[in-house]
Amino acid sequence: MEIRCPGCLGIFKANHDQELFITEAIQKGQRLIMTDCPKCYKHIPVNPADLLSMESQKDEDQKSSQSVIVNCPVCSDGIVNYIDDGNEKFWGCGECGTVWVSEKDFQQSVLKKS
């Protein structure tokens, strides 16, 4: 099972523990899990459904502000992701749990950090 890190864009093979974790997530229907990249050592988001094809995850269209990779302005360790689960839409950091309800709030938080 190969995974593409959104941080360093490196491709790596999931180790045994990661494969078990991913398999369980697929069985549960989870759409987002966090794992570690052995190349850049960051905690990265993974959509288990993307791995069903056994191909490396594809690079997403980077034009949308919802898919741009941004380090969390609160903890600096996490990556902020846009979450749309059908009921709620928000930006959030999986590392520290910070949530921004609107894109405007998120952008202001990023500007304050700069």
Side-chain angles (χ1 to χ4, degrees), residues 4-53:
R4 178 185 303 272
C5 174
C8 69
L9 301 180
I11 297 173
F12 63 93
K13 289 196 180 286
N15 65 32
H16 179 71
D17 290 339
Q18 288 171 324
E19 284 190 15
L20 289 175
F21 182 51
I22 291 166
T23 301
E24 289 175 9
I26 290 169
Q27 291 170 350
K28 293 177 184 176
Q30 291 178 300
R31 293 187 286 165
L32 178 68
I33 61 171
M34 300 298 286
T35 192
D36 295 319
C37 173
K39 295 183 181 236
C40 68
Y41 306 105
K42 287 191 176 191
H43 205 54
I44 61 169
V46 174
N47 180 348
D50 287 349
L51 302 175
L52 290 175
S53 67

Side-chain angles (χ1 to χ4, degrees), residues 24-102:
E24 289 175 9
I26 290 169
Q27 291 170 350
K28 293 177 184 176
Q30 291 178 300
R31 293 187 286 165
L32 178 68
I33 61 171
M34 300 298 286
T35 192
D36 295 319
C37 173
K39 295 183 181 236
C40 68
Y41 306 105
K42 287 191 176 191
H43 205 54
I44 61 169
V46 174
N47 180 348
D50 287 349
L51 302 175
L52 290 175
S53 67
M54 299 302 221
E55 295 178 12
S56 299
Q57 292 175 296
K58 306 287 188 275
D59 289 330
E60 293 183 20
D61 180 12
Q62 295 294 320
K63 293 178 185 173
S64 167
S65 65
Q66 297 172 356
S67 64
V68 173
I69 298 171
V70 178
N71 286 342
C72 178
V74 175
C75 72
S76 300
D77 291 329
I79 296 173
V80 176
N81 290 290
Y82 179 73
I83 308 297
D84 179 357
D85 70 357
N87 296 323
E88 295 183 90
K89 297 177 183 178
F90 60 90
W91 285 259
C93 173
E95 192 71 25
C96 69
T98 302
V99 171
W100 297 268
V101 178
S102 72

